[in-house]
Amino acid sequence: LFRCIILGVYFINMDFSITILGASSALPTANRFPSAQVVKHNESIFLIDCGEGTQMQLRRNKISLLKINHIFISHLHGDHYYGIFGLLTSMNLLGRKKELHLYAPPELRRILNYIWKQTGIQLLYEVVFHVHNYSGFNLIADCKHMQVFSFPLSHSKQNCGFKFCEKQSVANIRKDCIERFELGIVDVRRIKAGAGIYLIDGTYIDNKELTHHAPEPRTYTYCSDTVFVESLNTVIGNTDLLYHEATFAGEANDLAIATGHSTSIQAAHVAKQLSAKALILGHFSTRYTDVGFLQQEAETIFKPVFLAEDNAEFAINRITRATVQVK
Amino acid sequence: LFRCIILGVYFINMDFSITILGASSALPTANRFPSAQVVKHNESIFLIDCGEGTQMQLRRNKISLLKINHIFISHLHGDHYYGIFGLLTSMNLLGRKKELHLYAPPELRRILNYIWKQTGIQLLYEVVFHVHNYSGFNLIADCKHMQVFSFPLSHSKQNCGFKFCEKQSVANIRKDCIERFELGIVDVRRIKAGAGIYLIDGTYIDNKELTHHAPEPRTYTYCSDTVFVESLNTVIGNTDLLYHEATFAGEANDLAIATGHSTSIQAAHVAKQLSAKALILGHFSTRYTDVGFLQQEAETIFKPVFLAEDNAEFAINRITRATVQVK
């Protein structure tokens, strides 16, 4: 009985949050590290991009390097991957044994192997390399509670966005039913799988009466770097939370196109297109020390808009699927 | 006359300082970046080692990336060079045209070329590569006011230390003499080169009476990473200021030897051996959150001892050649 209750609590507390480790564009500043962020989902920690300084930012945010088992690198501009060398060697120094899954462009595997060879490094753990496919919407990581898909973006370098789709969670058994019907572990398992129960007097109790309704799975989408992509929704569907690069302000539209980037206005249009419940803007140009006006611009098109400050954390509510900034 | 006075002021203010960008050992922490530091000498900025995050630390310390023309990499353990990729590409993005001198192990040239090729980067400036010689005391950079020498250390990887030797500055002309003897620019030049002057009545005024005595040139030595090196003074001579790694406390002597590092006690012995006027300890193991006791240990052997905290700055006085911590 005790174990069943524990299980119930476990599911109610399943967190889904995004921690920004860096949100600068190509040039970092004194206050903005280059691109990196972690997706926390319950006990799992996924790393998206790994700009220089990621391992220091992980430590600042008290996120264990060894708990990261999946790293997704969007593309090979330095501000999105120059931190991978330090992170992988630090994992090695910390005694990592568990395999690490790295989803990245094929050149990264060659670069890593070259550096390890030139400097005599032999990792004590396996890096399982998953090479990007730059067409279509592809399931690239199928984990216990989460599926991750890649899709092509449009940038000056081949680039993938990532969509994190929580798996449908099993229904939570109502605590009062466990006591009322004296349910055992086997009963609980069956009910979680969708079964009803027969009482001794033959009465049938439907699954719906024994469980709380399992909420809709939540989704998070990462788009950086890219120009404005038309009809992205036809490729990846809707999303609850969208992180979209907004390197430039609305008035710098031509510059955005010329450099393969987006404006705050365009990011807001993508959020609208994907029926997002919230938008996080990031990857800011160093020309903007105060990025508050990018938020204001975007909010003329779509609300709510958050700003990706380093070390900020955003959580997606399990029931409403709305996003709040938690730090 | 005006120009002569300006020249005088210029020499009096010739600074010589060390700014610590990072002083952690192999693993960085939330508060300690990996190894990197800048030597500022008047208008020149030299970078020693370039651990991950160096370019962010340079920005925090308001040091222009483009003013760095000489980078010295001691050895190819990641905590001493993983920041070079980001620094060089950021210099490129900032429009650098001036050549950059890089003093490093030969493998670094191959690694850089490989990464640039794999990711399609073409630097707009020339990197002049100077490959380390791992024997003897070698003049590797002969700049206007500074000479830099390399010398071998003893570590688990081939490694060089560096000694920065200020060139003998010319004598400063006494301001009162300029007015009293109505000296012109040509006179001043001659006097700076060591000449005396004849007055109209034939009186000879010796150079010593016209000038302030030029102080002894200052020296700074960087030793990281290394085990304790016996008789280093016979190779590199004395030094005013010594930065020496102190990865471990005195009691961890065996561990220091096994990992190719030094203890705080050994660092102090090297300072004594080199007749240093001050010692900075750095490259601390993550096992020590508070490193104050390493300083206390070292001060039982040698004084004064400073701790290399990130963003600390140490200046060597021009006259006394003693070191003070300025921030």
Side-chain angles (χ1 to χ4, degrees):
Chain A
L1 180 59
F2 182 67
R3 278 181 59 190
C4 301
I5 291 168
I6 294 293
L7 269 171
V9 171
Y10 173 83
F11 279 110
I12 288 164
N13 282 342
M14 191 173 285
D15 293 327
F16 191 170
S17 73
I18 318 302
T19 305
I20 306 297
L21 303 180
S24 193
S25 58
L27 289 169
T29 71
N31 304 313
R32 290 187 192 286
F33 274 63
S35 290
Q37 54 180 252
V38 293
V39 177
K40 291 186 209 164
H41 186 249
N42 196 29
E43 296 292 299
S44 298
I45 293 176
F46 305 89
L47 178 66
I48 309 177
D49 278 339
C50 189
E52 184 178 350
T54 294
Q55 60 169 328
M56 282 83 100
Q57 287 292 81
L58 286 167
R59 285 182 178 274
R60 279 187 187 152
N61 285 281
K62 301 191 194 310
I63 298 167
S64 165
L65 274 57
L66 296 184
K67 282 199 175 160
I68 298 170
N69 296 322
H70 300 269
I71 302 178
F72 303 84
I73 304 292
S74 61
H75 66 298
L76 293 190
H77 278 152
D79 57 320
H80 293 255
Y81 85 99
Y82 281 164
I84 195 77
F85 314 116
L87 180 59
L88 297 194
T89 45
S90 288
M91 284 176 170
N92 205 42
L93 287 168
L94 291 167
R96 185 184 184 102
K97 294 281 177 293
K98 196 172 176 185
E99 63 185 20
L100 177 78
H101 293 267
L102 184 52
Y103 309 81
E107 295 85 358
L108 185 56
R109 174 157 53 181
R110 295 200 280 271
I111 290 170
L112 286 170
N113 287 340
Y114 192 83
I115 291 183
W116 301 158
K117 200 175 163 192
Q118 286 292 322
T119 58
I121 289 178
Q122 247 190 322
L123 297 184
L124 301 170
Y125 60 92
E126 189 191 354
V127 177
V128 183
F129 216 96
H130 305 262
V131 170
H132 283 344
N133 174 351
Y134 295 107
S135 66
F137 186 63
N138 307 292
L139 176 62
I140 56 174
D142 192 1
C143 306
K144 191 173 173 194
H145 299 296
M146 183 71 86
Q147 289 187 316
V148 187
F149 297 82
S150 73
F151 53 92
L153 292 169
S154 180
H155 188 46
S156 56
K157 202 161 194 75
Q158 280 195 307
N159 192 359
C160 278
F162 304 107
K163 185 176 183 185
F164 288 72
C165 301
E166 190 179 37
K167 286 184 177 174
Q168 176 73 62
S169 63
V170 291
N172 282 322
I173 294 187
R174 287 173 50 178
K175 251 170 94 173
D176 59 317
C177 293
I178 294 174
E179 284 172 32
R180 179 143 55 102
F181 302 120
E182 295 175 358
L183 300 175
I185 290 171
V186 176
D187 301 322
V188 167
R189 260 196 221 128
R190 284 187 188 141
I191 294 164
K192 278 181 173 287
I197 52 168
Y198 284 95
L199 302 185
I200 291 166
D201 66 1
T203 319
Y204 180 72
I205 313 283
D206 192 79
N207 183 277
K208 280 182 189 164
E209 291 176 47
L210 298 165
T211 57
H212 296 291
H213 178 66
E216 285 291 299
R218 295 162 287 183
T219 56
Y220 169 63
T221 301
Y222 176 87
C223 295
S224 186
D225 303 352
T226 187
V227 296
F228 176 67
V229 179
E230 293 269 9
S231 313
L232 186 60
N233 59 326
T234 62
V235 180
I236 72 164
N238 292 339
T239 195
D240 293 318
L241 176 59
L242 171 68
Y243 174 95
H244 200 288
E245 72 130 294
T247 309
F248 298 109
E251 51 87 25
N253 197 35
D254 292 349
L255 187 57
I257 292 168
T259 56
H261 289 295
S262 300
T263 68
S264 53
I265 301 287
Q266 290 167 333
H269 277 296
V270 176
K272 209 170 178 180
Q273 197 197 95
L274 299 179
S275 302
K277 289 194 169 56
L279 166 65
I280 304 171
L281 298 181
H283 201 267
F284 305 116
S285 165
T286 49
R287 67 179 57 198
Y288 311 123
T289 42
D290 179 3
V291 291
F293 79 105
L294 297 176
Q295 181 183 31
Q296 288 160 24
E297 277 189 345
E299 286 195 333
T300 62
I301 313 289
F302 173 91
K303 274 184 187 173
V305 176
F306 298 99
L307 293 170
E309 298 294 342
D310 285 18
N311 310 314
E313 186 171 356
F314 304 92
I316 310 175
N317 186 284
R318 182 167 180 253
I319 310 299
T320 65
R321 297 182 359 253
T323 292
V324 290
Q325 183 162 357
V326 292
K327 70 167 186 171
Chain B
L1 180 61
F2 181 68
R3 277 181 59 192
C4 301
I5 291 166
I6 294 293
L7 268 172
V9 172
Y10 172 83
F11 280 110
I12 287 163
N13 282 340
M14 190 172 287
D15 293 325
F16 191 170
S17 73
I18 318 301
T19 305
I20 306 297
L21 303 180
S24 193
S25 59
L27 288 169
T29 70
N31 303 315
R32 289 189 193 284
F33 275 63
S35 289
Q37 54 180 251
V38 292
V39 177
K40 290 186 208 164
H41 186 251
N42 195 30
E43 296 292 299
S44 298
I45 293 176
F46 305 89
L47 178 66
I48 309 177
D49 279 339
C50 188
E52 184 178 351
T54 294
Q55 61 169 327
M56 282 84 101
Q57 287 294 79
L58 285 168
R59 284 181 178 276
R60 278 186 189 155
N61 285 281
K62 302 192 193 313
I63 298 167
S64 164
L65 273 56
L66 296 184
K67 282 200 177 160
I68 298 170
N69 296 322
H70 300 269
I71 302 178
F72 303 84
I73 303 293
S74 61
H75 66 299
L76 293 189
H77 278 153
D79 56 320
H80 292 256
Y81 84 100
Y82 281 164
I84 195 76
F85 314 116
L87 181 60
L88 297 194
T89 45
S90 288
M91 283 176 170
N92 205 42
L93 286 167
L94 290 168
R96 184 184 185 102
K97 294 281 177 293
K98 196 173 176 186
E99 64 184 21
L100 177 79
H101 292 267
L102 185 52
Y103 308 80
E107 296 85 358
L108 185 56
R109 176 158 50 182
R110 296 200 280 272
I111 289 170
L112 286 170
N113 286 340
Y114 192 84
I115 291 183
W116 301 158
K117 199 175 164 191
Q118 286 292 322
T119 58
I121 289 178
Q122 248 190 321
L123 297 184
L124 301 171
Y125 60 93
E126 190 191 353
V127 177
V128 183
F129 217 95
H130 305 261
V131 171
H132 284 343
N133 175 351
Y134 295 107
S135 67
F137 186 62
N138 307 292
L139 175 63
I140 56 174
D142 192 1
C143 305
K144 192 173 173 194
H145 299 296
M146 183 72 86
Q147 289 187 317
V148 187
F149 297 82
S150 73
F151 53 93
L153 293 170
S154 181
H155 188 46
S156 56
K157 202 161 192 74
Q158 280 195 307
N159 193 359
C160 279
F162 304 108
K163 184 175 183 186
F164 288 72
C165 301
E166 190 180 36
K167 287 185 177 174
Q168 175 73 60
S169 64
V170 289
N172 281 320
I173 294 187
R174 288 172 50 178
K175 249 169 96 174
D176 59 318
C177 293
I178 293 173
E179 283 170 34
R180 182 145 53 105
F181 303 118
E182 294 177 359
L183 301 174
I185 290 171
V186 175
D187 300 322
V188 167
R189 256 193 225 130
R190 283 187 189 143
I191 294 164
K192 277 180 175 288
I197 53 168
Y198 284 95
L199 303 184
I200 291 167
D201 67 1
T203 319
Y204 180 71
I205 314 282
D206 193 80
N207 183 275
K208 280 183 188 161
E209 290 175 48
L210 298 166
T211 57
H212 296 291
H213 178 67
E216 286 291 299
R218 295 162 286 182
T219 57
Y220 170 63
T221 301
Y222 176 87
C223 295
S224 185
D225 302 351
T226 187
V227 296
F228 175 67
V229 179
E230 293 268 10
S231 313
L232 186 60
N233 58 326
T234 62
V235 179
I236 72 164
N238 291 339
T239 195
D240 292 317
L241 176 59
L242 171 68
Y243 174 96
H244 199 288
E245 73 128 294
T247 309
F248 298 110
E251 52 86 25
N253 197 33
D254 292 350
L255 186 57
I257 291 167
T259 57
H261 289 294
S262 300
T263 67
S264 54
I265 301 287
Q266 290 167 333
H269 278 296
V270 176
K272 210 170 175 179
Q273 196 196 97
L274 299 180
S275 303
K277 290 196 169 52
L279 166 66
I280 304 170
L281 298 180
H283 200 268
F284 305 116
S285 165
T286 49
R287 67 180 56 198
Y288 311 123
T289 43
D290 180 2
V291 292
F293 79 105
L294 296 177
Q295 182 182 30
Q296 287 160 23
E297 278 189 344
E299 286 196 333
T300 62
I301 313 290
F302 174 91
K303 274 184 187 174
V305 176
F306 297 99
L307 294 169
E309 298 293 342
D310 286 19
N311 310 314
E313 187 172 354
F314 304 92
I316 311 175
N317 186 284
R318 184 168 179 253
I319 310 299
T320 65
R321 297 184 355 253
T323 293
V324 289
Q325 182 160 359
V326 290
K327 71 166 187 172

